[in-house]
Amino acid sequence: MSLTPDSANPNARPAGSSRPLTPGTIATQFSKMDFPAPTGLRLNVAKSPTSPSPSPGAGAAPDSALSAGSNDTGDLSGPEPEAIVEARRRFRSESMSEQLSATLATMNLPQPERIFGPNEGESPAAREGDKGVSAEDWDKIKLDDDVPEAVKEPVRMTHSRNASKAEPTRVRSPLIPEQKHLVLEHHAAKEQKITPFDVEGAVDEEGKDLGIDYDKLVARFGAQKISQDLLDRFEKVTGHRPHPLLRRGTFFSHRDFNIILDRYEKGQPFYLYTGRGPSSDSMHMGHLIPFMFTAWLQRVFNVPLVIQITDDEKYLLQRDVKKQADMMKKIKGKKPLDLLRHYKQMAQDNIKDIIACGFMLEKTYIFQDLGAMGGAFYDNVVLMSKTLTASNIKGVFGFSDSDNVGMFHFASIQATPSFSNSFPHIFGQRDDIPALIPCAIDQDPYFLLTRDSADKLGYKKPCLLHSKFLPALQGSNTKMSASNENSAVFMTDDAKKIHKKIRSHAFSGGGATQEDHRANGGNPDIDVPYQFLSFFEDDDEKMRRLAEEYRAGTLSTVQMKDECIAKLQEVVAEFQKRRSEVTDEVVQQFQDPTRKIDPRPAKKAEAATAATSAA
Amino acid sequence: MSLTPDSANPNARPAGSSRPLTPGTIATQFSKMDFPAPTGLRLNVAKSPTSPSPSPGAGAAPDSALSAGSNDTGDLSGPEPEAIVEARRRFRSESMSEQLSATLATMNLPQPERIFGPNEGESPAAREGDKGVSAEDWDKIKLDDDVPEAVKEPVRMTHSRNASKAEPTRVRSPLIPEQKHLVLEHHAAKEQKITPFDVEGAVDEEGKDLGIDYDKLVARFGAQKISQDLLDRFEKVTGHRPHPLLRRGTFFSHRDFNIILDRYEKGQPFYLYTGRGPSSDSMHMGHLIPFMFTAWLQRVFNVPLVIQITDDEKYLLQRDVKKQADMMKKIKGKKPLDLLRHYKQMAQDNIKDIIACGFMLEKTYIFQDLGAMGGAFYDNVVLMSKTLTASNIKGVFGFSDSDNVGMFHFASIQATPSFSNSFPHIFGQRDDIPALIPCAIDQDPYFLLTRDSADKLGYKKPCLLHSKFLPALQGSNTKMSASNENSAVFMTDDAKKIHKKIRSHAFSGGGATQEDHRANGGNPDIDVPYQFLSFFEDDDEKMRRLAEEYRAGTLSTVQMKDECIAKLQEVVAEFQKRRSEVTDEVVQQFQDPTRKIDPRPAKKAEAATAATSAA
């Protein structure tokens, strides 16, 4: 996240092509939603500016610019295919949030005097009426807090595969050019292109810059221009004259700012959130003006502020190979981790600049993603995720564009424990300790990718031991199923249940009848009791003997089952005993990320010595 | 991650289509790598099993099954298109890791006696020769640790967009069927399908299960079967007879297990890593056998073990709408977060079962992704990422399949600070506090997505204030650039530099000459000094007057510039003063995630009272 566009910050979100945020793509987003149809909606706004210091407000007036759906059509002309009409209809439901909020405003929400406590801000005035709430009361407020019906409704889980019947990107009008850039000016020789990664104004046929058409941009994004009425209301509600950046139109557009004013007026809590993708060079005015503005907003509203420093984004989105290669050279980096650390350091430096913009310490939390989100572990997740393309993931796991991005990304999460420096409490910063991963063969694709990436990251490849799939009681081609009680022996089964399951449900490789079995013998290779026994019975000679006698028909299927039963009962009983000893405290200990673990293969000392003395 | 396949665990990674891990897709992965060509490679393995207790080993013998590239061809027949031949060539470089490791083995790595310290494991024998190392020494060892040349080489950063010239998924042979499932048996009516999400054996034309052909699977994955020689070497090196699951072939395949044995033999550290996607029902034997095996491995090697519980994966990959809807009903959940918490709780329950398998507390770290990775913040990242499809991201940001999955996923990270319960130290668990986000308009696409998803998650939508882009000194259509010193005023610039920059580089809207300016006036709307001044000058009357006089030509361009200079100097000096006061301690305080922040808009009390008294 960056407050400043790339034009002001070329190190930020690097350039790349972008598809337009057109009604087509908006439809993509909205097609999967199922809002109630928007109904009539009016929001009150007030007017009349005075001075930057607290001032009495004037009467309220409706702001028609805020009415629903007024800005969503852009200036597209020509026939409107049904998809677009539909998209637009759905798009209007954006205003649902306003509607909800209007409902909210009329509801039984905690009253200001129940929320507001002792002032800690800069203005010591007007303290009377405050009762103050403790942290406990803050939590309790939630319990009393009526939730609007629309939110209370059972939340529709979105399951991309099922929810989006049509491939969303196909919801696309012939009006929308296929080219990737955001097209706003059909008369321009080169259209303007505005994405989080590129900001380029349109250029006419003579190569002259046409600047950025903000009105069209706002219409296209479906946002709303900040009206004079809204500014007037701001002043009335807050008692502060709007900041020059607001009243002179640098901050020119909004979404639901009226809701924030509603809440402020009612004393309902809200907070500010802003952020930045860190840059290596010292920050310039373009970087800091938005922070100065936000600091001003914080002082006006006296609310909490969170600032996200997206060092992860800067690392991930940097597509300029040469730029990153130069940076690596400059920092004398050897591995991608060194570069990532450089981004983290830039973030720390930037944070100092940001703090100097004048935020209220007691209400401000600044965090960098690398560091705040899982520390060394998340560092490696980010490094890993940059080595995996969407193509890789589709190829290996068969995902499609209708799958969620969490799934695309998850391979990075499963890969990361393969790298020893993901666990500083065990391995410190050492990244040269390989992992051995015992897993079922179906997990191998994750680690095939991990091994590739280990090379790219300068880390050790993990080593693997693959297992076959453990058969269900019904045989190797059936599935153990937690919903089919009789397909598996559960670790909670008692001796009697185990006996019954094996006797009644375990697939037998014996003869069809007792006579047949005695005459022709059975087949231990497909006999589930024999297979299960083989997982636990350490005595090879016994296993050999059982197999032989089974084949010969001298060991009956019931005898084989009983051998298995006895062993499973023993194993499960032992497990249950240990399970009963696992207290919450023990669970806590195993999960304590601060508990130091000695990384050394201590026992090896014994084997080494043994080997030496044997030699 | 799960040790058991889906067949054993139907709640785990839910079903979905999968593309085969074919030479084509393997090529996809390897086509972006640039390994040195593999050279001759031989690894030594030892043989001769004896008993489960420590035993003297026998002589070593080469294991030809471990030589490079012997398993990568599968049983494809027919013509070999160049892409496949190339893929195969690249695929062989998988063995590079072995080669590297062989090199490593001959290098100046820390010697066992320098690594191994006091035994903490179960075997108190053979302590002599141990010197022990402190945690500090452990870190220092890295400094002495020679890194093999192959790793030392400047790491090639992979930049998907540039690195993959051809769309990788197009590297596909006509031999490879276009269907999505992993095809192993061309004679089967229904092919076997093995992915982390689906395990299905092949079925013949009569509908008979053909079981799973593990040999073909191993060959296709490019792994190696565990040979008797390898098992013999295991016994020789560890002094332990292989576990029944190893010697009876349930664990049947490996990658680089020989390297682990090399390291164990040399006393070089390594660790174990395994995991599980949690399931709601009590665990059955199929779930726990692999953990029992891993516990055994840990006791044999006496090394650290990390166990990842992928509750995030289970939530993300569950595509079965009905199953999750039922689960929501069962837990009386209202929002996706409730469901996510249910997965977390399942994870905690499963962890107890896992611990009961007998792991060494002093060497084992168990963690669940939700919880270990950023706590409440990461919870929301996961919830968010499930609401975004790859299509959404492509549509909004213009990414393609050759972009990395971190980029696809990043929108979830930038969305998450919009939800108040991401910050428990500020808002507790309340998710009903909306954020106001001041940002440049180019960041809007992130929050357009966030606002959609907020509805799906039962959270409050963030509200926004959008800014225009701040112009560079050269004018509104040029870019501020940190690499072009004169395109921007830096916050480190002194008064003199600011003077020079504005005077020499700020684009003027004045007349072409002084005479022209006096005669025809200038245009403040495109005048950069006027624009910059307008960001900071609070006095509207003054701004109006300056504009008027400029248009009239009575205010010269130099005078306008000097007005701007004075203001910028003031702003920058003030900033620099505050910047100098930002100590590391202050930075620390702002970033402290445990510092409680009062969430209440305290100052509102004042405005509310003022409003009341004014009314």
Side-chain angles (χ1 to χ4, degrees), chain A residues 145 241 247-248 264 432 537-538 540 578 600 604, chain B residues 145 241 247-248 264 356 363 432 537-538 540 604:
Chain A
D145 194 359
R241 190 172 192 207
R247 62 182 199 264
R248 295 186 188 131
Y264 185 76
D432 59 348
E537 179 53 62
D538 197 57
D540 286 349
R578 282 197 304 243
R600 297 164 295 168
K604 174 62 194 105
Chain B
D145 195 358
R241 191 174 190 203
R247 63 182 199 263
R248 294 184 191 134
Y264 185 75
K363 295 251 173 186
D432 58 349
E537 178 53 64
D538 196 58
D540 286 348
K604 175 63 193 104

PDB file of all heavy atoms in Angstrom, chain A residues 145 241 247-248 264 432 537-538 540 578 600 604, chain B residues 145 241 247-248 264 356 363 432 537-538 540 604:
ATOM      1  N   ASP A 145     -24.635  -5.027  21.455  1.00  0.00           N
ATOM      2  CA  ASP A 145     -24.700  -4.307  20.195  1.00  0.00           C
ATOM      3  C   ASP A 145     -25.601  -5.039  19.208  1.00  0.00           C
ATOM      4  O   ASP A 145     -25.294  -6.117  18.741  1.00  0.00           O
ATOM      5  CB  ASP A 145     -23.274  -4.203  19.634  1.00  0.00           C
ATOM      6  CG  ASP A 145     -23.182  -3.200  18.522  1.00  0.00           C
ATOM      7  OD1 ASP A 145     -24.212  -2.605  18.185  1.00  0.00           O
ATOM      8  OD2 ASP A 145     -22.066  -3.015  18.014  1.00  0.00           O
ATOM      9  N   ARG A 241     -12.328  23.343  10.323  1.00  0.00           N
ATOM     10  CA  ARG A 241     -12.369  23.683   8.907  1.00  0.00           C
ATOM     11  C   ARG A 241     -11.625  22.597   8.125  1.00  0.00           C
ATOM     12  O   ARG A 241     -10.588  22.126   8.570  1.00  0.00           O
ATOM     13  CB  ARG A 241     -11.649  25.015   8.706  1.00  0.00           C
ATOM     14  CG  ARG A 241     -11.855  25.545   7.319  1.00  0.00           C
ATOM     15  CD  ARG A 241     -11.309  26.939   7.197  1.00  0.00           C
ATOM     16  NE  ARG A 241     -11.743  27.540   5.967  1.00  0.00           N
ATOM     17  CZ  ARG A 241     -11.072  28.488   5.339  1.00  0.00           C
ATOM     18  NH1 ARG A 241      -9.968  28.965   5.872  1.00  0.00           N
ATOM     19  NH2 ARG A 241     -11.518  28.967   4.218  1.00  0.00           N
ATOM     20  N   ARG A 247     -10.218  20.936   0.951  1.00  0.00           N
ATOM     21  CA  ARG A 247     -11.068  21.965   0.367  1.00  0.00           C
ATOM     22  C   ARG A 247     -10.549  22.460  -0.968  1.00  0.00           C
ATOM     23  O   ARG A 247     -11.284  23.091  -1.729  1.00  0.00           O
ATOM     24  CB  ARG A 247     -11.298  23.101   1.362  1.00  0.00           C
ATOM     25  CG  ARG A 247     -10.107  23.870   1.822  1.00  0.00           C
ATOM     26  CD  ARG A 247     -10.557  24.931   2.855  1.00  0.00           C
ATOM     27  NE  ARG A 247      -9.573  25.972   3.002  1.00  0.00           N
ATOM     28  CZ  ARG A 247      -8.637  25.989   3.962  1.00  0.00           C
ATOM     29  NH1 ARG A 247      -8.567  25.012   4.849  1.00  0.00           N
ATOM     30  NH2 ARG A 247      -7.776  26.972   4.016  1.00  0.00           N
ATOM     31  N   ARG A 248      -9.277  22.155  -1.277  1.00  0.00           N
ATOM     32  CA  ARG A 248      -8.766  22.536  -2.604  1.00  0.00           C
ATOM     33  C   ARG A 248      -8.737  21.350  -3.553  1.00  0.00           C
ATOM     34  O   ARG A 248      -8.126  21.380  -4.603  1.00  0.00           O
ATOM     35  CB  ARG A 248      -7.392  23.174  -2.462  1.00  0.00           C
ATOM     36  CG  ARG A 248      -7.501  24.480  -1.689  1.00  0.00           C
ATOM     37  CD  ARG A 248      -6.254  25.290  -1.591  1.00  0.00           C
ATOM     38  NE  ARG A 248      -6.498  26.385  -0.671  1.00  0.00           N
ATOM     39  CZ  ARG A 248      -5.689  26.705   0.333  1.00  0.00           C
ATOM     40  NH1 ARG A 248      -4.564  26.041   0.538  1.00  0.00           N
ATOM     41  NH2 ARG A 248      -6.000  27.700   1.130  1.00  0.00           N
ATOM     42  N   TYR A 264     -19.174   9.701  13.733  1.00  0.00           N
ATOM     43  CA  TYR A 264     -18.520  10.688  14.593  1.00  0.00           C
ATOM     44  C   TYR A 264     -19.573  11.492  15.347  1.00  0.00           C
ATOM     45  O   TYR A 264     -19.466  11.745  16.537  1.00  0.00           O
ATOM     46  CB  TYR A 264     -17.638  11.613  13.738  1.00  0.00           C
ATOM     47  CG  TYR A 264     -16.835  12.575  14.570  1.00  0.00           C
ATOM     48  CD1 TYR A 264     -15.695  12.130  15.257  1.00  0.00           C
ATOM     49  CD2 TYR A 264     -17.198  13.904  14.688  1.00  0.00           C
ATOM     50  CE1 TYR A 264     -14.955  12.996  16.037  1.00  0.00           C
ATOM     51  CE2 TYR A 264     -16.460  14.784  15.462  1.00  0.00           C
ATOM     52  CZ  TYR A 264     -15.338  14.327  16.134  1.00  0.00           C
ATOM     53  OH  TYR A 264     -14.605  15.182  16.913  1.00  0.00           O
ATOM     54  N   ASP A 432      20.899 -23.457   6.684  1.00  0.00           N
ATOM     55  CA  ASP A 432      21.620 -24.549   6.008  1.00  0.00           C
ATOM     56  C   ASP A 432      21.367 -25.905   6.641  1.00  0.00           C
ATOM     57  O   ASP A 432      22.154 -26.831   6.484  1.00  0.00           O
ATOM     58  CB  ASP A 432      23.125 -24.236   5.989  1.00  0.00           C
ATOM     59  CG  ASP A 432      23.693 -24.065   7.388  1.00  0.00           C
ATOM     60  OD1 ASP A 432      22.885 -23.960   8.346  1.00  0.00           O
ATOM     61  OD2 ASP A 432      24.926 -24.041   7.538  1.00  0.00           O
ATOM     62  N   GLU A 537       3.561 -54.994  13.878  1.00  0.00           N
ATOM     63  CA  GLU A 537       4.271 -56.182  14.376  1.00  0.00           C
ATOM     64  C   GLU A 537       5.734 -56.108  13.949  1.00  0.00           C
ATOM     65  O   GLU A 537       6.045 -56.111  12.769  1.00  0.00           O
ATOM     66  CB  GLU A 537       3.605 -57.453  13.818  1.00  0.00           C
ATOM     67  CG  GLU A 537       4.284 -58.734  14.244  1.00  0.00           C
ATOM     68  CD  GLU A 537       4.459 -58.832  15.749  1.00  0.00           C
ATOM     69  OE1 GLU A 537       3.440 -58.843  16.462  1.00  0.00           O
ATOM     70  OE2 GLU A 537       5.628 -58.845  16.223  1.00  0.00           O
ATOM     71  N   ASP A 538       6.584 -56.045  14.944  1.00  0.00           N
ATOM     72  CA  ASP A 538       7.997 -55.900  14.634  1.00  0.00           C
ATOM     73  C   ASP A 538       8.639 -57.243  14.259  1.00  0.00           C
ATOM     74  O   ASP A 538       9.685 -57.276  13.612  1.00  0.00           O
ATOM     75  CB  ASP A 538       8.711 -55.299  15.846  1.00  0.00           C
ATOM     76  CG  ASP A 538      10.063 -54.749  15.467  1.00  0.00           C
ATOM     77  OD1 ASP A 538      10.105 -53.882  14.562  1.00  0.00           O
ATOM     78  OD2 ASP A 538      11.070 -55.191  16.044  1.00  0.00           O
ATOM     79  N   ASP A 540       9.485 -60.032  12.252  1.00  0.00           N
ATOM     80  CA  ASP A 540       9.426 -60.440  10.851  1.00  0.00           C
ATOM     81  C   ASP A 540       9.121 -61.926  10.704  1.00  0.00           C
ATOM     82  O   ASP A 540       8.404 -62.341   9.803  1.00  0.00           O
ATOM     83  CB  ASP A 540      10.763 -60.137  10.153  1.00  0.00           C
ATOM     84  CG  ASP A 540      10.930 -58.651   9.895  1.00  0.00           C
ATOM     85  OD1 ASP A 540       9.950 -57.905  10.052  1.00  0.00           O
ATOM     86  OD2 ASP A 540      12.050 -58.242   9.544  1.00  0.00           O
ATOM     87  N   ARG A 578      -1.562 -42.647  26.797  1.00  0.00           N
ATOM     88  CA  ARG A 578      -0.748 -41.438  26.603  1.00  0.00           C
ATOM     89  C   ARG A 578      -1.627 -40.219  26.350  1.00  0.00           C
ATOM     90  O   ARG A 578      -1.348 -39.127  26.810  1.00  0.00           O
ATOM     91  CB  ARG A 578       0.225 -41.642  25.438  1.00  0.00           C
ATOM     92  CG  ARG A 578       1.435 -42.491  25.809  1.00  0.00           C
ATOM     93  CD  ARG A 578       2.556 -42.322  24.794  1.00  0.00           C
ATOM     94  NE  ARG A 578       2.096 -42.637  23.458  1.00  0.00           N
ATOM     95  CZ  ARG A 578       2.569 -43.633  22.707  1.00  0.00           C
ATOM     96  NH1 ARG A 578       3.536 -44.408  23.168  1.00  0.00           N
ATOM     97  NH2 ARG A 578       2.107 -43.839  21.499  1.00  0.00           N
ATOM     98  N   ARG A 600      20.717 -29.583  17.926  1.00  0.00           N
ATOM     99  CA  ARG A 600      21.760 -30.546  17.598  1.00  0.00           C
ATOM    100  C   ARG A 600      21.269 -31.984  17.702  1.00  0.00           C
ATOM    101  O   ARG A 600      20.539 -32.325  18.617  1.00  0.00           O
ATOM    102  CB  ARG A 600      22.950 -30.335  18.524  1.00  0.00           C
ATOM    103  CG  ARG A 600      23.575 -28.974  18.341  1.00  0.00           C
ATOM    104  CD  ARG A 600      24.468 -28.621  19.490  1.00  0.00           C
ATOM    105  NE  ARG A 600      23.734 -28.477  20.735  1.00  0.00           N
ATOM    106  CZ  ARG A 600      24.311 -28.403  21.921  1.00  0.00           C
ATOM    107  NH1 ARG A 600      25.623 -28.506  22.015  1.00  0.00           N
ATOM    108  NH2 ARG A 600      23.578 -28.264  23.002  1.00  0.00           N
ATOM    109  N   LYS A 604      23.295 -38.573  17.911  1.00  0.00           N
ATOM    110  CA  LYS A 604      24.312 -38.949  16.944  1.00  0.00           C
ATOM    111  C   LYS A 604      25.656 -39.162  17.626  1.00  0.00           C
ATOM    112  O   LYS A 604      26.445 -40.015  17.209  1.00  0.00           O
ATOM    113  CB  LYS A 604      24.445 -37.866  15.874  1.00  0.00           C
ATOM    114  CG  LYS A 604      25.583 -38.069  14.884  1.00  0.00           C
ATOM    115  CD  LYS A 604      25.389 -39.350  14.079  1.00  0.00           C
ATOM    116  CE  LYS A 604      26.674 -39.735  13.350  1.00  0.00           C
ATOM    117  NZ  LYS A 604      27.352 -40.866  13.982  1.00  0.00           N
TER     118      LYS A 604
ATOM    119  N   ASP B 145      31.141 -21.657   8.427  1.00  0.00           N
ATOM    120  CA  ASP B 145      30.603 -22.688   7.557  1.00  0.00           C
ATOM    121  C   ASP B 145      30.818 -22.327   6.100  1.00  0.00           C
ATOM    122  O   ASP B 145      30.209 -21.407   5.571  1.00  0.00           O
ATOM    123  CB  ASP B 145      29.114 -22.809   7.860  1.00  0.00           C
ATOM    124  CG  ASP B 145      28.521 -24.077   7.286  1.00  0.00           C
ATOM    125  OD1 ASP B 145      29.269 -24.820   6.629  1.00  0.00           O
ATOM    126  OD2 ASP B 145      27.329 -24.298   7.512  1.00  0.00           O
ATOM    127  N   ARG B 241      17.145 -51.003  13.644  1.00  0.00           N
ATOM    128  CA  ARG B 241      16.495 -51.740  12.573  1.00  0.00           C
ATOM    129  C   ARG B 241      15.376 -50.869  12.005  1.00  0.00           C
ATOM    130  O   ARG B 241      14.664 -50.197  12.759  1.00  0.00           O
ATOM    131  CB  ARG B 241      15.891 -53.008  13.152  1.00  0.00           C
ATOM    132  CG  ARG B 241      15.433 -53.936  12.067  1.00  0.00           C
ATOM    133  CD  ARG B 241      14.969 -55.241  12.658  1.00  0.00           C
ATOM    134  NE  ARG B 241      14.751 -56.187  11.610  1.00  0.00           N
ATOM    135  CZ  ARG B 241      13.950 -57.228  11.741  1.00  0.00           C
ATOM    136  NH1 ARG B 241      13.348 -57.460  12.882  1.00  0.00           N
ATOM    137  NH2 ARG B 241      13.787 -58.068  10.725  1.00  0.00           N
ATOM    138  N   ARG B 247      10.427 -51.210   6.416  1.00  0.00           N
ATOM    139  CA  ARG B 247      10.954 -52.431   5.808  1.00  0.00           C
ATOM    140  C   ARG B 247       9.870 -53.247   5.134  1.00  0.00           C
ATOM    141  O   ARG B 247      10.166 -54.106   4.312  1.00  0.00           O
ATOM    142  CB  ARG B 247      11.743 -53.252   6.829  1.00  0.00           C
ATOM    143  CG  ARG B 247      11.003 -53.769   8.002  1.00  0.00           C
ATOM    144  CD  ARG B 247      12.000 -54.514   8.932  1.00  0.00           C
ATOM    145  NE  ARG B 247      11.311 -55.399   9.851  1.00  0.00           N
ATOM    146  CZ  ARG B 247      10.997 -55.077  11.110  1.00  0.00           C
ATOM    147  NH1 ARG B 247      11.342 -53.902  11.599  1.00  0.00           N
ATOM    148  NH2 ARG B 247      10.368 -55.940  11.872  1.00  0.00           N
ATOM    149  N   ARG B 248       8.596 -52.937   5.436  1.00  0.00           N
ATOM    150  CA  ARG B 248       7.511 -53.637   4.729  1.00  0.00           C
ATOM    151  C   ARG B 248       6.899 -52.767   3.636  1.00  0.00           C
ATOM    152  O   ARG B 248       5.848 -53.071   3.092  1.00  0.00           O
ATOM    153  CB  ARG B 248       6.457 -54.114   5.719  1.00  0.00           C
ATOM    154  CG  ARG B 248       7.032 -55.178   6.633  1.00  0.00           C
ATOM    155  CD  ARG B 248       6.082 -55.794   7.592  1.00  0.00           C
ATOM    156  NE  ARG B 248       6.854 -56.586   8.549  1.00  0.00           N
ATOM    157  CZ  ARG B 248       6.688 -56.562   9.861  1.00  0.00           C
ATOM    158  NH1 ARG B 248       5.743 -55.805  10.393  1.00  0.00           N
ATOM    159  NH2 ARG B 248       7.451 -57.298  10.645  1.00  0.00           N
ATOM    160  N   TYR B 264      23.726 -37.514   9.109  1.00  0.00           N
ATOM    161  CA  TYR B 264      23.673 -38.168  10.415  1.00  0.00           C
ATOM    162  C   TYR B 264      25.027 -38.805  10.720  1.00  0.00           C
ATOM    163  O   TYR B 264      25.568 -38.683  11.814  1.00  0.00           O
ATOM    164  CB  TYR B 264      22.562 -39.216  10.435  1.00  0.00           C
ATOM    165  CG  TYR B 264      22.365 -39.840  11.788  1.00  0.00           C
ATOM    166  CD1 TYR B 264      21.719 -39.122  12.801  1.00  0.00           C
ATOM    167  CD2 TYR B 264      22.844 -41.117  12.085  1.00  0.00           C
ATOM    168  CE1 TYR B 264      21.540 -39.672  14.054  1.00  0.00           C
ATOM    169  CE2 TYR B 264      22.679 -41.673  13.338  1.00  0.00           C
ATOM    170  CZ  TYR B 264      22.024 -40.944  14.323  1.00  0.00           C
ATOM    171  OH  TYR B 264      21.862 -41.482  15.576  1.00  0.00           O
ATOM    172  N   ALA B 356       0.144 -37.454  21.704  1.00  0.00           N
ATOM    173  CA  ALA B 356       0.067 -38.786  22.314  1.00  0.00           C
ATOM    174  C   ALA B 356       0.819 -39.847  21.513  1.00  0.00           C
ATOM    175  O   ALA B 356       1.004 -40.971  21.980  1.00  0.00           O
ATOM    176  CB  ALA B 356      -1.386 -39.192  22.504  1.00  0.00           C
ATOM    177  N   LYS B 363      12.398 -31.547  21.928  1.00  0.00           N
ATOM    178  CA  LYS B 363      12.886 -31.371  20.555  1.00  0.00           C
ATOM    179  C   LYS B 363      11.754 -31.093  19.562  1.00  0.00           C
ATOM    180  O   LYS B 363      11.980 -31.137  18.354  1.00  0.00           O
ATOM    181  CB  LYS B 363      13.606 -32.656  20.111  1.00  0.00           C
ATOM    182  CG  LYS B 363      14.877 -32.975  20.888  1.00  0.00           C
ATOM    183  CD  LYS B 363      16.103 -32.776  20.039  1.00  0.00           C
ATOM    184  CE  LYS B 363      17.355 -32.921  20.869  1.00  0.00           C
ATOM    185  NZ  LYS B 363      18.553 -32.585  20.103  1.00  0.00           N
ATOM    186  N   ASP B 432     -16.900  -4.641  14.324  1.00  0.00           N
ATOM    187  CA  ASP B 432     -17.954  -3.745  13.829  1.00  0.00           C
ATOM    188  C   ASP B 432     -17.527  -2.277  13.829  1.00  0.00           C
ATOM    189  O   ASP B 432     -18.359  -1.384  13.835  1.00  0.00           O
ATOM    190  CB  ASP B 432     -19.230  -3.923  14.664  1.00  0.00           C
ATOM    191  CG  ASP B 432     -18.990  -3.645  16.150  1.00  0.00           C
ATOM    192  OD1 ASP B 432     -17.807  -3.518  16.545  1.00  0.00           O
ATOM    193  OD2 ASP B 432     -19.967  -3.547  16.908  1.00  0.00           O
ATOM    194  N   GLU B 537      -0.842  26.103   2.461  1.00  0.00           N
ATOM    195  CA  GLU B 537      -1.295  27.428   2.893  1.00  0.00           C
ATOM    196  C   GLU B 537      -2.751  27.357   3.328  1.00  0.00           C
ATOM    197  O   GLU B 537      -3.635  27.051   2.527  1.00  0.00           O
ATOM    198  CB  GLU B 537      -1.109  28.436   1.751  1.00  0.00           C
ATOM    199  CG  GLU B 537      -1.594  29.820   2.077  1.00  0.00           C
ATOM    200  CD  GLU B 537      -0.986  30.364   3.375  1.00  0.00           C
ATOM    201  OE1 GLU B 537       0.241  30.543   3.424  1.00  0.00           O
ATOM    202  OE2 GLU B 537      -1.747  30.574   4.356  1.00  0.00           O
ATOM    203  N   ASP B 538      -2.979  27.636   4.577  1.00  0.00           N
ATOM    204  CA  ASP B 538      -4.338  27.525   5.087  1.00  0.00           C
ATOM    205  C   ASP B 538      -5.190  28.747   4.727  1.00  0.00           C
ATOM    206  O   ASP B 538      -6.411  28.680   4.737  1.00  0.00           O
ATOM    207  CB  ASP B 538      -4.283  27.357   6.614  1.00  0.00           C
ATOM    208  CG  ASP B 538      -5.604  26.849   7.158  1.00  0.00           C
ATOM    209  OD1 ASP B 538      -6.031  25.756   6.700  1.00  0.00           O
ATOM    210  OD2 ASP B 538      -6.196  27.525   8.014  1.00  0.00           O
ATOM    211  N   ASP B 540      -7.172  30.918   2.731  1.00  0.00           N
ATOM    212  CA  ASP B 540      -7.861  30.915   1.444  1.00  0.00           C
ATOM    213  C   ASP B 540      -7.797  32.273   0.753  1.00  0.00           C
ATOM    214  O   ASP B 540      -7.661  32.357  -0.474  1.00  0.00           O
ATOM    215  CB  ASP B 540      -9.341  30.536   1.634  1.00  0.00           C
ATOM    216  CG  ASP B 540      -9.506  29.058   1.929  1.00  0.00           C
ATOM    217  OD1 ASP B 540      -8.524  28.304   1.769  1.00  0.00           O
ATOM    218  OD2 ASP B 540     -10.613  28.661   2.332  1.00  0.00           O
ATOM    219  N   LYS B 604     -14.459  13.161  20.365  1.00  0.00           N
ATOM    220  CA  LYS B 604     -15.846  13.337  19.971  1.00  0.00           C
ATOM    221  C   LYS B 604     -16.682  13.873  21.123  1.00  0.00           C
ATOM    222  O   LYS B 604     -17.617  14.658  20.921  1.00  0.00           O
ATOM    223  CB  LYS B 604     -16.415  12.005  19.477  1.00  0.00           C
ATOM    224  CG  LYS B 604     -17.904  12.031  19.152  1.00  0.00           C
ATOM    225  CD  LYS B 604     -18.203  12.998  18.015  1.00  0.00           C
ATOM    226  CE  LYS B 604     -19.691  13.284  17.881  1.00  0.00           C
ATOM    227  NZ  LYS B 604     -20.034  14.585  18.398  1.00  0.00           N
TER     228      LYS B 604
END
